[in-house]
Amino acid sequence: MNVYHITYAPSPGIFFLYFWGCNMECRACLCKKEIYDCHLEETKRAIFEESKEVPQAPSRFLDLNEVLEILKGRDISQVIFMGAEPTIDAELPKLAKALHRKFHSYNILLTNGLKLISTKHIDEVVLSIKAYKESLHQDYTGVSNKSILENFSTLYQEGKKLRAESLFIPNYIDSPEIGRIAQFIAGIDRNIAYRIDAYLPVGNNPWRRPTPIEVEQAAQVARRHLLNVSCLRGDERLEYEVRRIV
Ligand code: SF4
C-alpha cells in the first residue's frame, strides 16, 4: 500500500493513516514542508518555521496486513485516511472494508476529490475544495476542478456523510473566493459542514500567513451561504496527545 506513516491519539481512539503520492500539485501543499503528522512533538513547531525544508520521501511502505497488525488490540473509534492523497491507492477500499469487519471503526476519508472511489466502507468524506473559479484552481493545483465539483455533488446524492474544507490564502484564495465555494456548497445543501483553514507559508510562494481575524472574516462570508461553518485560525492548541506508531 501507499501507507508510510501512522499516528494514534489514544484518548479519543483515533488512528491517522498517511498515504504517499498525489494526483494534483498544489502550490501550498504542506507535504512540501512536512510529510509526517504535524501534531507530533518533533514536528509541531517546525511547520511554523519559514525556512523549514521537506524531509526526503518515505523510505518504507506498509502492506495491508501490516496496517491491520499495527491496529490490533488498541481502542479504535475512528480511522482517518489522509496524508497526501489516499484515493490513488487501489487497496484503500479493501483496507476500509477490513477495518469495518475487524474493528468496527468509523472510517473517514480526507481527499482532494479528483478521483472517485468506492465509498461503501467509508463512513464520512471530507473533501478539500481548493478553489471554485476554474482559472484559480488551475493555477493553484495544475488541474481543472470540473470533476471535483461533480464528484462532490455525486457523493452527496449517494447519501454519503460529507464535509468540505478550504485553505484561506490572503490575496489569492481569499474571502470572495471562499464565498464562491460556500455558495457552490449551499447549492447542494446549506447544512453541509464547511471548515476554512489558515494558510501556513510553504515553499517559494509569495503569500503571507493570514491573521486570525482575516480567517474569521472569511468564515463570516461563508456563513452568508452555509449554516455550519468553522475555521482553524492557525493559533489553536491541540486538544489531545498524538503518538507516532510508524
Ligand atoms: S491535494 Fe493535498 S496532497 Fe495533493 S498536492 Fe494538494 S495539498 Fe498536497
Side-chain angles (χ1 to χ4, degrees):
M1 296 199 73
N2 295 352
V3 179
Y4 68 96
H5 177 51
I6 297 179
T7 56
Y8 178 51
S11 64
I14 304 175
F15 269 94
F16 304 89
L17 269 51
Y18 285 75
F19 290 72
W20 190 244
C22 190
N23 45 6
M24 300 201 327
E25 286 185 34
C26 301
R27 293 170 63 186
C29 179
L30 203 56
C31 291
K32 292 179 183 168
K33 198 165 198 177
E34 181 56 76
I35 66 170
Y36 299 111
D37 192 324
C38 60
H39 301 110
L40 296 168
E41 261 319 298
E42 64 262 35
T43 55
K44 68 183 181 191
R45 274 171 287 276
I47 58 157
F48 293 104
E49 291 167 11
E50 300 258 341
S51 57
K52 170 90 168 70
E53 286 183 3
V54 66
Q56 63 280 31
S59 54
R60 180 176 172 233
F61 295 92
L62 301 168
D63 66 30
L64 199 147
N65 287 330
E66 286 174 313
V67 175
L68 296 176
E69 269 305 305
I70 286 166
L71 271 64
K72 208 159 85 182
R74 302 185 197 248
D75 285 335
I76 306 172
S77 61
Q78 296 182 356
V79 178
I80 305 183
F81 307 120
M82 55 190 297
E85 178 53 43
T87 59
I88 61 171
D89 188 331
E91 288 193 275
L92 173 60
K94 211 165 137 193
L95 174 64
K97 182 178 175 180
L99 293 170
H100 264 173
R101 293 249 162 103
K102 287 181 184 288
F103 308 116
H104 310 287
S105 57
Y106 185 83
N107 297 334
I108 301 177
L109 168 65
L110 309 193
T111 179
N112 61 26
L114 188 59
K115 185 178 175 200
L116 211 51
I117 59 163
S118 163
T119 54
K120 190 171 173 205
H121 291 279
I122 305 282
D123 301 292
E124 186 170 348
V125 177
V126 182
L127 197 149
S128 174
I129 301 178
K130 310 295 182 191
Y132 180 75
K133 250 169 60 186
E134 170 68 8
S135 56
L136 185 56
H137 198 278
Q138 284 274 4
D139 185 68
Y140 180 64
T141 70
V143 302
S144 164
N145 65 3
K146 194 169 176 294
S147 58
I148 294 168
L149 300 180
E150 283 170 7
N151 290 343
F152 188 81
S153 176
T154 301
L155 286 164
Y156 178 80
Q157 280 153 18
E158 285 174 354
K160 190 57 56 185
K161 184 154 189 230
L162 191 58
R163 283 189 275 143
E165 54 185 40
S166 299
L167 196 60
F168 174 87
I169 306 178
N171 305 316
Y172 186 60
I173 300 168
D174 50 12
S175 286
E177 183 61 14
I178 295 292
R180 280 186 280 273
I181 297 170
Q183 205 169 3
F184 161 75
I185 299 166
I188 296 169
D189 187 336
R190 294 189 71 205
N191 294 293
I192 293 174
Y194 181 44
R195 194 183 80 190
I196 298 147
D197 294 349
Y199 165 69
L200 272 179
V202 169
N204 294 323
N205 289 306
W207 316 304
R208 63 173 171 82
R209 197 176 163 188
T211 64
I213 289 172
E214 284 175 313
V215 185
E216 293 278 4
Q217 285 167 343
Q220 279 304 109
V221 171
R223 286 189 188 106
R224 291 180 199 151
H225 307 283
L226 293 166
L227 300 173
N228 186 2
V229 177
S230 59
C231 59
L232 284 182
R233 303 157 23 129
D235 57 357
E236 295 82 3
R237 285 172 186 273
L238 193 65
E239 290 161 12
Y240 44 73
E241 180 209 4
V242 178
R243 295 179 193 160
R244 182 175 184 148
I245 305 291
V246 176

